[in-house]
Amino acid sequence: MAKKMLPIALSNRHLHLSQQDIEILFGEGYELNKFKDLSQPGQYAAAEKVDIAGPKGILKGVRVLGPARPSTQIEVSLTDGFILGVTPPVRDSGDIAGSPSVKIIGPKGEVELKEGVIAAARHIHMHTDDAEKFGVVDKQRVKVRTEGDRGVVFENVLVRAHPTFALEMHVDIDEGNAAGVKNGEMVELIVE
């Protein structure tokens, strides 16, 4: 049986902002400026960056991703959490309830975020056609095997299948570096 292979990408610290928070940080009526497209259709890295301040330290120049979202969410690694002085829970995107608070500092204002700092759980974006080909469904948990000197098997990988998604696994920078993988490398999907 042929292996089920897909590309992996390392996700560095970033944040998604609500339109309300964009306007507080950058000015009334402000629209994000596209820096470059991301692998997921319609998603982009914005030219804008902000600083994030926690109880112990500051992360400077954190990239904003667009477009605007209904609520603000900051995605950092566990290492970033040590710098900030918070413990980000490992969560699926959008699950921010009860997560740590920090301050976001922009050129025109600041936002005291009551919750919203997470370490994004490892996940796979895939088109619904890919899900059918791989024999998986949306919200299923799978394993993914990497190759190389530091090869690992990632457990509890969330499948996110949608007609607008492009095939790619996302891990944070800590996980990717620990496994010795690089952006675009092929990894094996394991369904048990």
Side-chain angles (χ1 to χ4, degrees):
M1 177 190 279
K3 291 182 177 181
K4 300 172 182 176
M5 304 299 287
L6 65 147
I8 193 168
L10 284 65
S11 181
N12 206 346
R13 66 181 73 117
H14 63 273
L15 71 161
H16 305 274
L17 294 170
S18 68
Q19 185 58 41
Q20 178 182 345
D21 288 347
I22 290 170
E23 294 189 22
I24 292 168
L25 296 166
F26 297 100
E28 190 175 332
Y30 195 87
E31 298 286 332
L32 295 175
N33 296 289
K34 187 186 295 184
F35 173 66
K36 70 175 182 177
D37 287 319
L38 299 175
S39 62
Q40 296 308 306
Q43 303 293 307
Y44 59 90
E48 291 76 13
K49 295 179 181 181
V50 296
D51 295 340
I52 299 171
K56 284 190 177 174
I58 296 177
L59 296 174
K60 294 224 169 246
V62 178
R63 178 80 61 190
V64 176
L65 300 188
R69 290 211 177 162
S71 59
T72 294
Q73 172 177 295
I74 300 171
E75 296 180 34
V76 297
S77 69
L78 297 179
T79 301
D80 291 331
F82 295 138
I83 295 166
L84 290 169
V86 299
T87 304
V90 177
R91 299 266 184 87
D92 297 333
S93 183
D95 182 7
I96 61 171
S99 60
S101 62
V102 293
K103 183 190 296 184
I104 306 170
I105 304 163
K108 303 275 183 169
E110 297 178 353
V111 172
E112 286 280 354
L113 202 61
K114 290 186 178 23
E115 61 185 11
V117 180
I118 65 168
R122 54 184 79 116
H123 58 279
I124 301 169
H125 292 275
M126 63 173 66
H127 190 280
T128 46
D129 292 345
D130 292 316
E132 188 174 322
K133 182 175 77 173
F134 286 135
V136 296
V137 295
D138 187 48
K139 295 189 175 61
Q140 183 174 344
R141 300 281 175 171
V142 298
K143 296 180 182 181
V144 174
R145 177 181 292 124
T146 71
E147 301 291 329
D149 294 339
R150 301 192 83 186
V152 300
V153 174
F154 288 112
E155 306 265 349
N156 303 315
V157 181
L158 176 68
V159 171
R160 297 184 62 210
H162 192 273
T164 63
F165 289 167
L167 184 63
E168 188 172 65
M169 179 180 178
H170 291 169
V171 294
D172 73 27
I173 201 91
D174 284 354
E175 291 181 299
N177 286 339
V181 294
K182 295 187 177 15
N183 287 327
E185 283 187 13
M186 300 303 283
V187 295
E188 180 186 1
L189 176 72
I190 301 168
V191 181
E192 294 180 332

